[in-house]
Amino acid sequence: MKVRKAVIPVAGLGTRFLPATKACPKELLPIVDVPAIQVVVEEVLHSGIEQVILITGRGKEAILDHFDYSYELEDTLTKRGKTDLVEAISAISRMVSVVSIRQKQPLGLGHAILVAQEVIGSEPFAVLLPDDLFEARIPVTRQLMETSAIYGTGVVALIEVPRELTHRYGIIDGEQMEEGLYRVLDLVEKPDGDRAPSTLALPGRYILPPAIFKHLAVTRPGVNGEIQLTDGLARLAREEGLLGRVVEGTRHDIGDKLGFLQANISFALRRPDLGPELRRYLERELSKE
Ligand code: G1P
């Protein structure tokens, strides 16, 4: 069945980026001049999905404004002849339909996804965690959709991480089926290196069947006292089957300050209007050391 909807949970508080996130949702912090959440929504669009469901919390209204029309701004820019800017700000609201649901209590990522059940109904859907940004030739969500279409099951994205970093991720126990493709036998949320069943980690991209909802509904709070998506996925893997695909592309963890800076530099270096000058600046700075 075709994947038509993508769920993006944006209810997190963003405390790691205070004071920047005191009044501004962390998802609107820019990657160069594009809010991070728009980079994620563009991945959705480029994967052929047109409906986005944002799971929001308090103080996230500005994200919805970002994807809405802004008549005043468009009118002012049009009168000033800035048609390129009008296009840049209106294109995204034309291309994608965004609905939002409020997660009334911060009970964890698994709970945030369960909240989406009422708009997803009984079809497979994508989940994208907006702290994870990818630069990839083929959008990572589309890479997963291709595998899901072939095997008719849920698929989680996988990346290799060093063993000393497994405590930051959901980690799979898997059985290799072919190069880069695993049958997921079990999953553990944020295990220490000595407990981790592998070094194959979940970088925040998933294609899930609607059966995930019944598993999340009975998943008890886990790590940090939160209902973890990873624990719901472990049930799904055992009862319905689940695949893991090692994805191609460069991942940035923008929930982390260093990762956020690296994403900005990396995206900027690839821009023809900024890349060459930025590269010269970095080379000059580094040669001073
Ligand atoms: C979440 C998930 C985790 C996943 C990670 C990817 O953790 O719970 O399984 O590996 O995102 O970024 P968080 O980073 O939100 O604590």
Side-chain angles (χ1 to χ4, degrees), residues 16 109 129 131-132 168-171 189-190 201-204 206 228-230 251 253:
R16 271 191 273 178
L109 178 60
L129 306 188
D131 274 352
D132 297 271
R168 292 196 192 170
Y169 299 93
I171 301 288
E189 180 67 4
K190 300 192 171 73
L202 307 183
Y206 315 78
Q228 296 290 349
L229 175 58
T230 303
R251 171 199 177 244
D253 175 7

Side-chain angles (χ1 to χ4, degrees), residues 97-151:
S97 127
V98 177
V99 299
S100 76
I101 314 183
R102 227 14 206 255
Q103 183 188 16
K104 298 201 176 77
Q105 288 170 286
L107 299 180
L109 178 60
H111 177 255
I113 303 305
L114 185 55
V115 166
Q117 182 170 17
E118 59 184 90
V119 279
I120 296 290
S122 55
E123 52 184 294
F125 60 102
V127 173
L128 295 90
L129 306 188
D131 274 352
D132 297 271
L133 288 192
F134 280 93
E135 294 178 273
R137 204 172 41 85
I138 301 172
V140 167
T141 296
R142 196 194 300 167
Q143 295 178 34
L144 301 183
M145 285 162 68
E146 284 168 4
T147 304
S148 178
I150 294 170
Y151 293 91

Side-chain angles (χ1 to χ4, degrees), residues 85-104:
L85 282 181
V86 175
E87 179 56 24
I89 63 160
S90 63
I92 191 84
S93 25
R94 267 203 319 274
M95 283 187 287
V96 71
S97 127
V98 177
V99 299
S100 76
I101 314 183
R102 227 14 206 255
Q103 183 188 16
K104 298 201 176 77

Side-chain angles (χ1 to χ4, degrees), residues 3-10 40 43-44 47 49 51-53 55 109-110 112-114 116 120 123-132 134 140-142 144-145 155-157 202-209 212-213 216 229-230 233:
V3 176
R4 303 184 307 141
K5 298 175 182 175
V7 175
I8 309 180
V10 295
V40 178
E43 180 186 327
V44 170
S47 298
I49 300 175
Q51 188 174 4
V52 168
I53 296 135
I55 311 300
L109 178 60
I113 303 305
L114 185 55
I120 296 290
E123 52 184 294
F125 60 102
V127 173
L128 295 90
L129 306 188
D131 274 352
D132 297 271
F134 280 93
V140 167
T141 296
R142 196 194 300 167
L144 301 183
M145 285 162 68
V155 184
V156 295
L202 307 183
R205 295 291 185 276
Y206 315 78
I207 301 296
L208 301 177
I212 188 64
F213 295 124
L216 287 172
L229 175 58
T230 303
L233 291 173

Side-chain angles (χ1 to χ4, degrees), residues 265 269 277-287:
I265 293 168
L269 283 173
E277 187 54 35
L278 177 62
R279 187 175 304 276
R280 281 193 286 277
Y281 167 76
L282 291 173
E283 280 164 2
R284 272 199 312 274
E285 283 300 303
L286 292 173
S287 68

